[in-house]
């Protein structure tokens, strides 16, 4: 298995406006987001792992999404269940894996994994749920990757992403 893409966003840069780093965490204010323009390396085909340290204060929102205007690849983590759960979404076919166990206003490590056969979600290293998803490959679009918002302005995240955010694609 070779690594096709590996991006690490080190949260230690001071950013202009209301989206900024403080004490090594990216503060998401619920109104602004980071857009990472599309590239082939952001369109995984056979497998993906997305992980982050997070401390969310709003009970809903899409914190990382390659999803805009109906062009969808993947979303994780999405805060659901009134702030107590996570959602991992992949396309084609809109495969959704919802899991409980997220604690609002607490630092937790989250990971969404798809190995080409199964989706899994982990919180603090403990598997919280799994679902089969035997797609030949994920849908690829020209949508940008967004950190802090999902497919519309109503899906902003509010809270903090700390340490690092990793999107790795293997194939």
């Amino acid at each position: 298995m070779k690594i096709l893409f590996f991006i690490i966003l080190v949260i230690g840069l001071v950013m202009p406006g209301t989206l900024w780093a403080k004490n090594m965490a990216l503060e998401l204010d619920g109104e602004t987001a980071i857009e990472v323009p599309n590239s082939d390396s952001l369109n995984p085909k056979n497998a993906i792992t997305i992980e982050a340290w997070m401390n969310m204060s709003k009970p809903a929102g899409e914190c990382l999404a390659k999803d805009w205007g109906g062009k969808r690849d993947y979303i994780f983590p999405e805060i659901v269940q009134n702030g107590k759960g996570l959602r991992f979404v992949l396309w084609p076919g809109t495969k959704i894996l919802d899991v409980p166990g997220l604690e609002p206003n607490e630092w937790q490590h989250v990971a969404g994994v798809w190995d080409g056969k199964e989706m899994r979600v982990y919180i603090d290293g403990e598997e919280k749920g799994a679902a089969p998803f035997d797609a030949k490959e994920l849908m690829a679009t020209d949508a940008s990757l967004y950190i802090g918002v999902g497919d519309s302005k109503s899906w902003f995240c509010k809270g903090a992403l700390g340490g690092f955010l990793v999107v790795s694609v293997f194939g």
Side-chain angles (χ1 to χ4, degrees):
M1 195 178 283
K2 68 177 184 172
I3 296 176
L4 297 176
F5 179 75
F6 187 76
I7 183 173
I8 298 177
L9 172 63
V10 179
I11 310 303
L13 302 174
V14 176
M15 302 182 72
T18 56
L19 189 63
W20 49 283
K22 177 182 177 184
N23 297 328
M24 301 304 289
L26 179 67
E27 291 288 332
L28 300 171
D29 64 6
E31 297 176 8
T32 52
I34 297 170
E35 179 180 2
V36 181
N38 181 54
S39 73
D40 288 341
S41 60
L42 292 175
N43 288 306
K45 301 246 188 274
N46 307 100
I48 187 169
T49 298
I50 304 169
E51 58 185 283
W53 282 96
M54 59 189 296
N55 182 341
M56 295 293 110
S57 57
K58 182 181 168 189
E62 294 175 356
C63 301
L64 184 133
K66 191 154 185 311
D67 177 23
W68 198 264
K71 298 177 180 180
R72 298 181 165 115
D73 291 331
Y74 46 87
I75 302 170
F76 182 82
E78 179 180 349
I79 313 302
V80 294
Q81 300 164 349
N82 199 27
K84 298 274 187 185
L86 291 177
R87 174 171 285 168
F88 185 20
V89 187
L90 297 174
W91 283 272
T94 314
K95 184 64 176 182
I96 298 173
L97 175 57
D98 285 342
V99 300
L102 188 65
E103 292 299 325
N105 302 305
E106 285 188 24
W107 281 106
Q108 294 171 281
H109 182 263
V110 301
V113 178
W114 176 66
D115 62 8
K117 300 284 182 197
E118 183 178 58
M119 298 168 64
R120 293 181 307 282
V121 172
Y122 299 86
I123 300 175
D124 291 332
E126 180 182 333
E127 186 176 302
K128 294 293 185 171
F133 184 53
D134 193 13
K136 289 185 179 185
E137 60 184 41
L138 294 181
M139 182 177 290
T141 71
D142 61 358
S144 294
L145 176 72
Y146 291 90
I147 300 169
V149 71
D151 71 346
S152 74
K153 303 277 183 198
S154 63
W155 286 103
F156 278 105
C157 269
K158 186 168 184 178
L161 296 176
F164 58 89
L165 173 69
V166 178
V167 177
S168 34
V169 179
F170 302 91

